[in-house]
Amino acid sequence: MPSLLIICSITDVMRQRLSDAFDLHETAQIEDMAGWLTSHGPEIEFVLTDGHLGVPQPILDALPNLQIISSYGVGYDAIDVDAATRRGIPVCHTPGVLTDEVATTAVMLYLALWRNLEAQSSLARSGRWGNGHALPLSRTADGRVVGILGLGRIGQAIAKKLEAFGATILYHGRTKKDVPYRFHSDLSEMARACDTLICAAPGDASTRHLIDAKVIEALGPEGYLINVGRGSTVDEDALITALADGTLGGAGLDVFENEPHIPEALRALSNVILTPHIGSATVETRRAMGDLAIDNLLAQRDGAALLTPVPESKAALGL
Ligand code: A2R
């Protein structure tokens, strides 16, 4: 059987399916990675990873016979697609199958922020309810103006779900789309016009710190920021300063600049909801993502057309 190097953590269902088709090698179980690569690197033709771990350069360099990198996620900023392309290696990802789940995560953070869910839940759990303890009224989540940065698959699914809450949708991106929402070519201007700014854009050089101090200030003391895209899109230091001094009302964050590290100063704030990058993390969606990531590996093994190569591989390698 062909050899597969697994860099990310996988579910038992995935391991079962993979072991029927490949000889599995998992980096988590290899003690001396450099030594192992020297002796086994040339055997590896297939790599499975995720959007967070990518393929570290020393590993990529030590796999001279690599045929494909299949990533278990939609974002692929941690993978050097250019380096892979130069060697004719396609990179595949799992777009579409996680769209609704990540959008639901954004809506969950949206509702939790506006209705002050974390503090209300803590009060209920504390046993102090009814003894004169009550929190100030929250603000309504209905009828808000929501600005979406990155109206792609996930951004559009968020817009659809928030329509049920009577939201007016604005969006900012590189291109104006044929959608019934108002386009803003200027992100700060959109931030000034909305109550909640939701980021669903990918992490790359073009989006790095796009949400900076100026955008955060434009969102304002009554505004909320939600990020389900990539941590690198937000200037985290500027965000922490603005949340601490009241320049920004609050934030719901599922992604961070230096995962899994979340700065202590951010964790200490009471006007934030923080989740550990769980956008797609449900049994059903992870199963669909795992299946698609494996189907891409099997297509490569069988010489069939790849199902979901990333756009850059598709264009450069004519897939
Ligand atoms: O190319 P456009 O105009 O459609 O905009 C894309 C937008 N985008 C940007 N917007 C503003 N400034 C940029 N520099 C920029 N670069 C990209 O992000 C597009 O509307 C959106 C991405 O949509 P999709 O490619 O359909 O990706 P999907 O499946 O919605 O996932 C988005 C990201 C992933 O890359 C992960 O980082 C995360 O959500 O899970």
Side-chain angles (χ1 to χ4, degrees):
M1 284 200 286
S3 287
L4 169 72
L5 183 64
I6 301 171
I7 296 176
C8 57
S9 69
I10 57 171
T11 63
D12 290 342
V13 175
M14 287 170 76
R15 186 171 290 103
Q16 182 56 51
R17 215 183 141 202
L18 286 167
S19 61
D20 291 340
F22 298 99
D23 190 7
L24 307 189
H25 306 273
E26 299 190 48
T27 55
Q29 288 165 10
I30 299 169
E31 271 182 24
D32 171 18
M33 196 64 208
W36 187 90
L37 284 169
T38 305
S39 45
H40 295 280
E43 293 163 22
I44 300 294
E45 294 171 309
F46 299 79
V47 159
L48 176 64
T49 188
D50 64 23
H52 176 63
L53 295 168
V55 186
Q57 196 66 41
I59 295 186
L60 191 59
D61 291 345
L63 308 178
N65 297 311
L66 185 60
Q67 291 184 19
I68 182 175
I69 297 167
S70 182
S71 186
Y72 175 53
V74 64
Y76 48 96
D77 39 305
I79 300 172
D80 189 343
V81 179
D82 286 343
T85 302
R86 281 194 295 276
R87 288 175 49 191
I89 302 165
V91 176
C92 292
H93 64 153
T94 61
V97 292
L98 46 62
T99 297
D100 269 315
E101 207 68 74
V102 179
T104 297
T105 300
V107 173
M108 176 177 76
L109 293 170
Y110 173 90
L111 294 174
L113 275 173
W114 282 106
R115 299 301 307 275
N116 202 13
L117 179 67
E118 198 161 274
Q120 300 288 12
S121 174
S122 295
L123 174 62
R125 280 177 188 280
S126 72
R128 288 182 288 118
W129 181 39
N131 295 332
H133 289 280
L135 292 169
L137 296 176
S138 72
R139 314 244 335 269
T140 184
D142 289 282
R144 291 286 168 198
V145 180
V146 177
I148 298 178
L149 165 58
L151 196 75
R153 288 173 291 252
I154 294 170
Q156 292 192 38
I158 293 170
K160 277 258 155 321
K161 287 180 193 255
L162 287 180
E163 280 177 16
F165 292 92
T168 299
I169 306 291
L170 318 176
Y171 72 101
H172 170 79
R174 296 172 299 189
T175 51
K176 190 171 186 300
K177 298 178 187 305
D178 184 20
V179 290
Y181 311 128
R182 197 185 331 142
F183 176 67
H184 282 260
S185 58
D186 185 275
L187 180 56
S188 290
E189 186 203 291
M190 183 176 82
R192 205 173 305 286
C194 68
D195 304 317
T196 311
L197 174 61
I198 302 183
C199 173
D204 61 23
S206 76
T207 56
R208 187 176 152 69
H209 286 192
L210 212 52
I211 299 177
D212 58 7
K214 188 168 150 240
V215 172
I216 291 167
E217 193 186 342
L219 193 50
E222 308 271 284
Y224 290 140
L225 170 68
I226 290 171
N227 192 1
V228 293
R230 279 290 184 264
S232 59
T233 305
V234 177
D235 180 340
E236 210 165 70
D237 289 338
L239 175 65
I240 292 168
T241 303
L243 286 164
D245 69 16
T247 303
L248 179 67
L253 307 171
D254 187 46
V255 290
F256 305 88
E257 273 206 88
N258 187 23
E259 294 175 13
H261 171 74
I262 303 176
E264 214 268 312
L266 185 53
R267 287 187 279 119
L269 292 166
S270 59
N271 51 349
V272 295
I273 301 258
L274 309 173
T275 49
H277 203 148
I278 53 157
S280 65
T282 64
V283 170
E284 295 83 357
T285 295
R286 285 290 165 87
R287 179 164 296 182
M289 290 163 63
D291 279 342
L292 184 50
I294 295 169
D295 286 344
N296 276 304
L297 292 169
L298 296 177
Q300 177 70 28
R301 182 200 65 176
D302 299 341
L306 297 174
L307 285 90
T308 46
V310 303
E312 294 87 342
S313 289
K314 208 170 174 172
L317 302 175
L319 301 171

